[in-house]
Amino acid sequence: MSQAISDPQLQVRSWQPVAGAIDHTLLEAKVTQEAIIRLCHEAHFYGFAAICVNPCWINLAVSVLQGTGVKIATTIGFPLGASQTTVKRFEAEEAILTGAQELEVVMNIGALKSGDRQLVQADIAAVTEITHQHGALVKVILETGLLSLEEKILSCELALAAGADFVKTASGFAGSGATVDDVALLCGVAGDRARVKASGGIRTATSALALLEAGASRLGTSHGVSIIRELDGPDFSL
């Protein structure tokens, strides 16, 4: 076994910082209660930043993760972003009152492509306003794989103007995901005004490390455990 694996101090440097950037995600329709419980225990064991689940699982996640320090994130207007603004705002408040600490809202992509900047910004602002009133964070999913370069820049600027805490590359449900170039672009636009979350298609340690190097502060992935195991992290058993 190599020195990097056997030396505990080197092992900490190799996988714990990556784990601390991961939002451990499970958003498929077929997810069961047992799977959510396991997700929560894995997140606590590895020290992941947060879990991300659909709103119906917030109560369960709260009961499992209470006192652990792992944040609970949930989705708003997911995955299309095409809900009415009033519905997104209501969904956001309900999620926070149920126990969510971070909300991931999908931008109205059709409005952006229609040139309706005012609607896009107002739609996001309606969520950020109610969310910030409760002390929670908002991540805006831009769905960069569906956008031109100009639209990526514009959508990021509109999200920032609306008060987003993070801009996020993708939902993972639109057939495209995070790229190093997109993360670097969003980091360049956002500067110190917001952080960037890379999400979509992150399955390996190599990909995770590249996206963090490009400037991502968080990684959204359902492959967090295997990524950490690639970095010589410990085995998990429930």
Side-chain angles (χ1 to χ4, degrees), residues 132-145:
H132 290 164
Q133 285 176 13
H134 291 279
L137 299 179
V138 176
K139 305 167 191 169
V140 178
I141 301 171
L142 306 180
E143 213 67 274
T144 50

Side-chain angles (χ1 to χ4, degrees), residues 8 17 33 35 60 100 179 182 199 220 230 232:
Q33 175 176 308
L60 177 60
T179 68
D182 281 346
S199 185
E230 276 191 69
D232 301 316

Side-chain angles (χ1 to χ4, degrees), residues 91-157:
E91 190 177 12
E93 185 164 32
E94 285 294 300
I96 295 167
L97 294 177
T98 307
Q101 298 149 299
E102 301 182 356
L103 304 186
E104 308 211 343
V105 58
V106 185
M107 178 187 69
N108 189 321
I109 300 157
L112 182 83
K113 288 186 169 292
S114 299
D116 196 340
R117 301 183 183 189
Q118 183 176 359
L119 192 157
V120 173
Q121 184 172 328
D123 187 63
I124 298 168
V127 174
T128 59
E129 179 185 22
I130 193 67
T131 305
H132 290 164
Q133 285 176 13
H134 291 279
L137 299 179
V138 176
K139 305 167 191 169
V140 178
I141 301 171
L142 306 180
E143 213 67 274
T144 50
L146 303 180
L147 307 178
S148 66
L149 175 61
E150 293 76 15
E151 288 170 338
K152 291 172 189 177
I153 295 170
L154 175 59
S155 63
C156 186
E157 288 287 4

